[in-house]
Amino acid sequence: MAVIGAHVDQSDPIAQARERGADAAQIFLGDPQGWKGPEVRYPGGAQALKEAAAEAGITLVVHAPYVLNVATTNNRIRIPSRKLLQKQVDAAAEIGAIGVVVHGGHVLATDDEEVGFDNWRKAVDQLEAAVPIFIENTAGGKKAMARGVAKLTRLWEAVRSADGGDAVGFCLDTCHAYAGGEPLAGLVSRVLEATGRIDLVHANDSRDAFDSGADRHANLGTGSLPADELATLIREAGAPVIVETPGGAAEHAADIAWIRESCD
Ligand SMILES: [Zn+2]
């Protein structure tokens, strides 16, 4: 059975995971909407968190801030994004996380998408990845780098050509895929054709309809995703699973139980 966890507050991810019956915890290291460098709030710091997680058997995942956009043509966003991503990767290594989830980002409506894919290549080229990054597919936008399998194919062609490109992982968010216009049936094999790998699944239901382009997560079995197809996808992906669903410990525990029961 796969490792299953939830996105939780970073102050004590070990206690939060235990409360949810989880064996993994995804956290932000600092403000998800801010540019300030990573910050470990666990008492005792990074080393203490690393040791506590190892002792408790909890897999840690870091989610990079949403403001990061290494694809953009705007220098004042792209350059700080590369620097912040490096800092997130370094901090993730210090706490013993398996990787850093980072959104695919986007270019402006008037931009050529190829410039965005090439900016990804440059970002990977420059990154010293002590732990891998997991690029996550996103739901919205016409010029997003990771909405839909066709874009993933082009993104991975660019990323693979970078120094260190082989280490770049993929995070498949089920809400983003469905709301972004990818049917869940057969999605694992289509993604694998594009990226060659799935390192993490974000198992989220969607409050919005297929191809809506909206990004509003729902608890599993309560949204628009076909439940049987969601369960099949999680099983076929064969990767650690994180729920980023509404509510607190009780709701997350129910979502984790849903995965354990329906994917058994
Ligand atoms: Zn996600």
Side-chain angles (χ1 to χ4, degrees), residues 63-103:
H63 197 304
Y66 297 121
V67 292
L68 274 185
N69 184 3
V70 300
T72 182
T73 54
N74 181 343
N75 295 349
R76 282 177 297 177
I77 302 287
R78 190 178 69 258
I79 305 300
S81 290
R82 285 182 191 161
K83 289 182 179 156
L84 186 52
L85 182 58
Q86 182 66 62
K87 287 181 186 168
Q88 292 278 326
V89 165
D90 294 344
E94 282 176 23
I95 67 167
I98 58 167
V100 175
V101 175
V102 55
H103 286 187

Side-chain angles (χ1 to χ4, degrees), residues 153-241:
T153 301
R154 291 159 71 196
L155 175 58
W156 245 260
E157 280 167 8
V159 160
R160 273 206 191 101
S161 70
D163 182 26
D166 291 345
V168 173
F170 179 62
C171 171
L172 175 58
D173 187 304
T174 57
C175 167
H176 299 174
Y178 192 74
E182 284 291 342
L184 297 188
L187 181 57
V188 166
S189 58
R190 297 201 303 284
V191 164
L192 287 175
E193 229 169 276
T195 67
R197 58 197 291 170
I198 297 172
D199 298 81
L200 188 69
V201 172
H202 279 172
N204 303 308
D205 211 325
S206 172
R207 288 173 64 183
D208 301 284
F210 178 76
D211 206 18
S212 60
D215 181 3
R216 297 190 303 162
H217 299 182
N219 294 101
L220 305 188
T222 73
S224 60
L225 268 56
D228 53 338
E229 291 179 13
L230 174 60
T232 302
L233 180 151
I234 294 168
R235 207 167 42 231
E236 286 179 355
V241 184

